[in-house]
Structures are given as C-alpha cells and as structure tokens.
Amino acid sequence: TNMDQGLIPATILTGFLGAGKTTLLKRVLSESHGRKIAVIENEFGEENIDNEILVADTGNEQILQLSNGCVCCTIREDLRTTLSELAQKRRKGELQFDRVVIETTGLADPGPVAQTFFMDDEIAESYLLDSILTLVDAKHGDGQLDARQEARRQIGFADQIFISKTDIADASAVDALIHRIKHMN
C-alpha cells in the first residue's frame, strides 16, 4: 500500500565499550516479543551480532529477516542511506517492521547520529527519533566517564539510561554512579 503509515519510531542505542549493547540486541533479535524491530548496527562494533545472527549474507544486501519477525542489517555506506533504503522497502511492502533500533559503536558520540533525524528532510519525513538509550557498565562506568569525552556525551544525550552488570558491582559504587549520572544528564 502506498498509504502513509505514519512515522517510524527510531531508538539510538549507545553505551561505552563493554556496556552490554550487543547482549541486549541479541535478546531483542531472538526473543518472541511480538514486535517487528529493524536493527541497524555499525559494522565496526567490538563484538558483532552478525557473527551469530547474520549468517546469510545475500550478496551486497545485508538485510536479514529473522524468525521472530525482526530485521537485522549492518551499515555498509552510511546511516542515511541505510535508513532511506529501509523506509523504501517498508513502503513497498517488501519489509515489515514497527521500529528501528540503531546501535552505535562504543566509541561513538551519539550527536551526529541523532542529527541525521533532524537535518535530513527525507529521513525526517519517514522517521521519528523517540529515544536515545544509553547503557552504562556498573563496574567500569565511573572510570570511563572520567577518561572519555564520548562516554560523557552518551550520558548527556540520553533520555533513558540503563546500568548493566550491577550484579558484579559493589552496591555503594552503583549508587554513586547513579548519583553522578543524574547530575550529568
């Protein structure tokens, strides 16, 4: 149908190296949650979900339909092109998905990724950036925030922050980290 299906909600998933982005995405891409999510991941991730999930490399097309209805693809050229292709396929009825999740690399500043949704007319007509979700490693988050500007920017841009690995971190350290994050965001 060529009918307008409304804007496609988009989430940017960010977080420093080792915060658990890949683990979270693997769950999203394998559980039966009844939602059709298209995941776009930056190729140069530390640990690629591709190794396990993207076994079928169909020529130059890196889009894979998973058994739970999710779609997975990697950014080959740039984000803009990938988003635009996905929206096109959705309009033509070639792909079905309700939301897009973009995983940035652990060293990325989410700013430029977020700007794609506002600065580019074609993308702005198809997508609505509805959240920037940042994962923070409970054990190493503090040191990363001290040392790395990108980690601080990931917190600054976020509207949802999840602290991972709290099971292996000291409870008082986690409280201190939460306090610090609230001040930064």
Side-chain angles (χ1 to χ4, degrees):
T1 59
N2 254 353
M3 250 168 62
D4 176 44
Q5 306 170 37
L7 295 176
I8 305 163
T11 300
I12 296 172
L13 173 62
T14 179
F16 213 68
L17 300 172
K21 297 183 297 297
T22 304
T23 308
L24 179 66
L25 280 180
K26 279 182 184 154
R27 282 189 63 175
V28 167
L29 291 172
S30 57
E31 283 187 358
S32 53
H33 39 62
R35 294 209 175 95
K36 292 190 188 305
I37 299 169
V39 171
I40 299 175
E41 70 158 346
N42 270 338
E43 270 255 274
F44 35 93
E46 322 67 86
E47 188 204 339
N48 245 322
I49 44 178
D50 299 6
N51 319 354
E52 287 165 51
I53 293 173
L54 282 188
V55 271
D57 185 348
T58 49
N60 61 356
E61 273 233 305
Q62 273 279 294
I63 296 179
L64 185 70
Q65 190 96 39
L66 303 172
S67 55
N68 67 349
C70 288
V71 177
C72 189
C73 57
T74 47
I75 298 177
R76 279 279 175 258
E77 315 81 24
D78 67 340
L79 177 61
R80 206 203 147 280
T81 314
T82 304
L83 284 168
S84 146
E85 266 174 39
L86 281 176
Q88 243 166 12
K89 288 182 183 302
R90 187 174 183 256
R91 277 193 298 274
K92 290 183 191 157
E94 293 170 20
L95 277 181
Q96 284 190 310
F97 57 92
D98 326 303
R99 154 178 305 282
V100 168
V101 174
I102 298 156
E103 178 194 15
T104 68
T105 67
L107 297 166
D109 170 352
V113 180
Q115 276 180 324
T116 306
F117 290 92
F118 305 108
M119 307 296 279
D120 189 289
D121 290 344
E122 188 197 333
I123 301 302
E125 282 165 20
S126 304
Y127 295 92
L128 169 73
L129 178 58
D130 73 348
S131 71
I132 298 180
L133 199 152
T134 298
L135 285 179
V136 181
D137 178 330
K139 216 169 164 57
H140 304 106
D142 223 30
Q144 290 165 346
L145 290 172
D146 288 341
R148 304 301 296 249
Q149 169 78 24
E150 306 93 339
R152 295 191 291 274
R153 290 183 67 85
Q154 289 169 356
I155 298 288
F157 272 100
D159 60 88
Q160 291 189 54
I161 298 169
F162 290 118
I163 298 181
S164 62
K165 307 184 184 178
T166 50
D167 54 328
I168 55 168
D170 174 63
S172 61
V174 173
D175 288 342
L177 183 62
I178 291 171
H179 184 75
R180 179 177 186 181
I181 288 170
K182 282 183 173 167
H183 276 273
M184 292 175 76
N185 183 281

